[in-house]
Amino acid sequence: MTAQLGARIRQARLAQGLSLRATAGAAAISPSLLSQVETGKVQPSVSTLYAIVNTLGLSVDDVLGTASTPEATRRQLPAHPVQRWETAPEILMENGVSWRGLAVAGGGVDALHVTYQPGAASSLDDSHMRHEGVEYGYIIRGEITLKLDFDSHVLRPGDSFCFDSMRPHLYLNHTDAVSEGVWFVMGQARRGESVADPSPVMRSAVDVLDAMSRLPGRAEV
């Protein structure tokens, strides 16, 4: 899935006429890292992927390859009411995190089965992230720590959460057991929609990144 993920990111960047260097700068990552993600040579962390996704105005459905128009969604729902586990699109990310897309199409909802391996975190350096939308989650097994703003919340099976995703947040699994849950993100900006906040990515609680949804200029190949 890593190669397909990179190809979709590159396709979206080129379609918007964005250069590799400008896109990387807006996402606060190096051009070499973005290039490696696009070519499938590296798996991004959750925070890196969200930085790229927000800079390009994509959604989780876009990078999973499950995005569709409302018309297409209405046509597909009667024919495909069930999604089997083995056919669900999955992204394996750096540091032991996986996202598996659930059978929710359209309506501005991204639905994910999320797994954090022991010691895994949504970023490699404990930096916080933020992005468009409202984030909901329910813990199925294991234990995960949600750092939201400057507070820490230890979540266990049966616990759930809800917060504005523009608030700086970080997920950590400090235990020696796998943690998993179901995440829903509602209201992420799609391509062609206006982004309510012009600075959609925060990598730490004090650093606000300059972001852009469109840049002029010729794209680098």
Side-chain angles (χ1 to χ4, degrees):
M1 185 69 190
T2 304
Q4 293 95 321
L5 166 67
R8 292 186 185 107
I9 289 172
R10 184 174 185 275
Q11 182 181 23
R13 175 177 64 80
L14 293 176
Q16 296 179 41
L18 304 179
S19 72
L20 189 72
R21 187 174 302 277
T23 304
I29 61 176
S30 68
S32 62
L33 175 57
L34 177 57
S35 176
Q36 290 177 316
V37 170
E38 288 188 351
T39 56
K41 294 179 180 178
V42 301
Q43 297 170 332
S45 66
V46 175
S47 59
T48 296
L49 182 57
Y50 260 120
I52 297 170
V53 162
N54 278 270
T55 297
L56 294 175
L58 303 176
S59 70
V60 172
D61 281 345
D62 288 322
V63 295
L64 282 170
T66 57
S68 60
T69 64
E71 292 76 14
T73 298
R74 285 194 293 270
R75 288 196 300 269
Q76 291 171 5
L77 285 176
H80 305 285
V82 175
Q83 175 180 274
R84 300 298 179 185
W85 175 261
E86 60 272 14
T87 62
E90 183 179 21
I91 299 175
L92 299 176
M93 280 173 276
E94 193 173 14
N95 201 30
V97 181
S98 72
W99 284 354
R100 187 180 289 264
L102 301 181
V104 175
V109 179
D110 291 320
L112 300 165
H113 175 269
V114 178
T115 302
Y116 278 75
Q117 297 297 323
S122 54
S123 71
L124 302 182
D125 57 1
D126 286 351
S127 61
H128 290 56
M129 61 182 173
R130 65 174 189 154
H131 51 87
E132 289 290 322
V134 178
E135 198 149 336
Y136 303 83
Y138 176 83
I139 308 304
I140 298 172
R141 67 165 171 149
E143 182 178 295
I144 197 162
T145 299
L146 166 63
K147 292 190 174 183
L148 186 61
D149 297 321
F150 297 101
D151 297 323
S152 293
H153 307 272
V154 178
L155 305 172
R156 299 181 177 89
D159 292 341
S160 58
F161 58 84
C162 171
F163 61 90
D164 184 341
S165 301
M166 291 301 291
R167 296 174 64 184
H169 57 282
L170 170 71
Y171 296 104
L172 301 163
N173 180 2
H174 289 301
T175 75
D176 57 2
V178 174
S179 299
E180 64 176 309
V182 174
W183 266 235
F184 290 88
V185 181
M186 300 184 67
Q188 268 199 298
R190 266 59 172 173
R191 277 176 289 179
E193 295 181 0
S194 60
V195 179
D197 191 313
S199 55
V201 181
M202 179 180 281
R203 300 296 299 279
S204 73
V206 295
D207 297 326
V208 180
L209 304 177
D210 292 327
M212 58 194 75
S213 61
R214 299 290 187 273
L215 287 175
R218 181 174 297 176
E220 297 175 4
V221 178

